[in-house]
């Protein structure tokens, strides 16, 4: 998909490194990976690399040695077009809506939200952002939310407990770098569970009275009846057959019972008297990925972007994302700890899923949201499996497998081949080493030519390893720098 005339990727392969400290299990030398430095990289090459288990951190691109590393890291992707919002996700969205609309902050202390507190393994990040005076209104996209009354009614209908994260973090400027692939700091806490007292002995239900009904069901029925009455009035007094009435009622029920999508929470209309204003702006940022534009691609183009979250003119979070041919890949999130009560990690992930769905309307091939790595052996990193439906990448055949099929296997062994077809092989494996492209003394040549010109000890084993990891396609497109 590389744009016409675009520069090829240039990489420098380092091979498998010595073991280093694991950020998940704290093993001092158990983390093992292959690595290479990306001097430049096309978005198509990076897309193909992450579909083979690679991941970038700045310009360093690495691939865990899955069958040797202490905590195997499986590439995970969410099927954004079919994303199903969970109850905990809805709580975060409603909490944000109530805060924007009414300024309300829940007082009930609950468990820590995943993807939100990554303090312990923070990496200091150089971050330059625009001040309010440097951002024009045309660059800001307002968050649209529904009226506060609607939010409050939904809270009553679902009966969900309002919650807020409690984190003991130092207040300060926007300096936290929360990597999507870093574990959540601290031990996982749990929400307080309601203890139900045993029922008192009695005579049971009074069968002479109608069964008790939930207030939620009563409200729904009233709403349906009102809707039906309005539809009947539009027919100007004409006689409706019993079948027509049943059809109208059924259609009304179907519409009313449809589950809310993330767009319903994010892209509705703000009330005029909203207490706060949340806006967004997006900028290309420095990375090894070469920015590209394509006729059938998203209007913003492909590449690496800062997604800035502005609250009442103050920047409170920045999500770094890569927009690739088939996906939006989440890299990491900066956020202001003063606003951790808004569960910005979860909220930003949900907003990025919604953004992926938006991009799909212009770029039909772009339909996945990549969340980095899923580490089942680290309980703090299992939260990514809550974004459903999701798939994990088989570390041997590089085919995607629904996470539901992978979890039982991971319970028995931290390293697993998910593809159950024993005859299946890596279809993208290296077949012709001589066709690997090499950059040597400012000249591009196939490895077969470079091998003849090279002086000194053979480096064929290293080139073979590199090619097997990146695959035949990438090895023929990317330029492997050789000194």
């Amino acid at each position: 998909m590389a744009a016409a005339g675009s520069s090829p990727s240039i990489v420098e392969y380092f091979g498998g490194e010595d073991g280093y400290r694991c950020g998940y299990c704290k093993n001092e030398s158990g983390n093992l990976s292959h690595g290479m430095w990306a001097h430049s990289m096309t978005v198509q090459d990076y897309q193909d690399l992450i579909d083979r288990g690679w991941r970038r951190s700045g310009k360093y691109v690495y691939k865990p040695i899955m069958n040797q590393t202490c905590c195997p890291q499986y590439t995970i992707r969410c099927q954004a077009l079919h994303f199903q919002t969970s109850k905990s996700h809805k709580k975060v969205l409603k909490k944000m809506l109530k805060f924007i609309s009414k300024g309300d902050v829940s007082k009930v202390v609950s468990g820590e939200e995943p993807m939100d507190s990554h303090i312990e393994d923070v990496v200091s990040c150089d971050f330059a952002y625009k001040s309010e005076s440097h951002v024009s209104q045309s660059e800001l996209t307002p968050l649209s939310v529904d009226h506060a009354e609607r939010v409050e009614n939904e809270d009553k209908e679902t009966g969900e407990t309002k919650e807020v994260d409690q984190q003991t973090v130092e207040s300060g400027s926007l300096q936290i770098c929360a990597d999507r692939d870093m574990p959540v700091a601290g031990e996982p806490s749990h929400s307080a569970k309601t203890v139900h007292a045993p029922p008192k002995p009695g005579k049971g239900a009074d069968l002479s009275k109608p069964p008790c009904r939930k207030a939620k069901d009563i409200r729904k029925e009233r709403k349906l009846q009102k809707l039906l009455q309005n539809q009947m009035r539009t027919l100007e007094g004409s006689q409706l057959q019993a079948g027509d009435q049943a059809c109208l009622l059924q259609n009304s029920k179907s519409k009313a019972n449809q589950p809310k999508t993330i767009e319903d929470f994010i892209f509705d209309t703000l009330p005029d008297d909203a207490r706060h204003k949340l806006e967004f702006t997006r900028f290309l940022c420095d990375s090894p990925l070469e920015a590209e534009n394509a006729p059938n691609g998203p209007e913003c183009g492909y590449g690496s972007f800062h997604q800035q979250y502005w609250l009442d003119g103050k920047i409170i979070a920045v999500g770094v994302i890569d927009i690739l041919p088939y996906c939006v890949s989440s890299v990491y999130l900066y956020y202001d700890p003063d606003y951790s009560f808004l569960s910005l990690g979860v909220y930003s992930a949900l907003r990025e899923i919604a953004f992926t769905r938006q991009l799909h309307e212009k770029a039909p091939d772009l339909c996945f949201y990549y969340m980095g790595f899923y580490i089942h052996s680290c309980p703090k990193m299992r939260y990514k499996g809550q974004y459903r439906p999701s798939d994990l990448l088989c570390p041997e055949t590089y085919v995607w497998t629904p996470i539901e099929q992978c979890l039982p296997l991971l319970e028995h062994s931290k390293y697993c081949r998910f593809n159950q077809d024993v005859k299946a092989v890596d279809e993208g494996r290296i077949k012709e080493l001589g066709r690997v492209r090499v950059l040597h003394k400012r000249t591009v040549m196939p490895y077969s030519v470079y091998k003849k010109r090279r002086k000194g000890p053979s480096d064929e084993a290293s080139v073979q390893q590199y090619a097997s990891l990146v695959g035949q396609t990438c090895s023929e497109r990317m330029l492997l720098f050789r000194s």
Side-chain angles (χ1 to χ4, degrees), residues 308-483:
Q308 300 183 354
Y309 294 66
W310 291 79
L311 180 67
D312 301 332
K314 176 186 178 182
I315 192 166
I316 63 170
V318 177
V320 178
I321 59 172
D322 294 331
I323 300 179
L324 305 175
Y326 309 134
C327 74
V328 168
S329 176
S330 178
V331 184
Y332 48 80
L333 174 76
Y334 305 90
Y335 65 94
D336 187 331
D338 287 348
Y339 295 90
S340 58
F341 65 90
L342 290 173
S343 304
L344 292 172
V346 178
Y347 181 79
S348 65
L350 296 173
R351 189 164 185 95
E352 287 169 4
I353 291 173
F355 180 51
T356 303
R357 289 151 68 125
Q358 278 186 306
L359 295 179
H360 170 75
E361 295 176 5
K362 180 69 169 62
D365 291 338
L366 204 163
C367 51
F368 296 104
Y369 176 63
Y370 282 48
M371 296 175 281
F373 290 133
Y374 174 83
I375 303 98
H376 192 77
S377 56
C378 178
K380 298 173 187 176
M381 293 298 290
R382 294 183 185 179
Y383 65 84
K384 295 183 183 182
Q386 299 170 7
Y387 292 76
R388 301 288 181 92
S390 290
D391 309 304
L392 297 184
L393 187 68
C394 176
E396 296 181 8
T397 61
Y398 303 114
V399 297
W400 293 99
T401 306
I403 193 171
E404 292 82 2
Q405 297 178 26
C406 303
L407 296 180
L409 301 174
L410 291 171
E411 285 295 325
H412 289 89
S413 174
K414 62 182 181 180
Y415 172 74
C416 295
R417 170 193 166 110
F418 299 137
N419 191 333
Q420 297 301 291
D421 181 358
V422 294
K423 296 182 180 179
V425 296
D426 170 17
E427 295 295 336
R429 67 190 182 281
I430 186 71
K431 301 179 182 68
E432 297 182 52
L433 187 63
R435 297 179 62 176
V436 173
R437 294 180 80 196
V438 172
L439 176 63
H440 178 58
K441 293 184 177 179
R442 299 186 180 182
T443 305
V444 177
M445 63 189 76
Y447 179 70
S448 58
V449 174
Y450 162 78
K451 183 179 178 181
K452 294 175 183 178
R453 295 184 181 181
R454 176 180 170 82
K455 297 178 182 179
S458 172
D459 63 351
E460 185 168 335
S462 175
V463 175
Q464 177 72 50
Q465 185 182 65
Y466 155 80
S468 67
L469 293 170
V470 304
Q472 185 76 44
T473 301
C474 278
S475 72
E476 292 183 28
R477 279 201 311 247
M478 300 194 304
L479 302 183
L480 175 63
F481 174 79
R482 308 308 283 171
S483 58

Side-chain angles (χ1 to χ4, degrees), residues 41-52:
M41 183 165 287
T42 67
V43 291
Q44 184 63 62
D45 284 340
Y46 185 54
Q47 175 73 70
D48 291 345
L49 286 175
I50 62 175
D51 285 338
R52 292 183 65 84

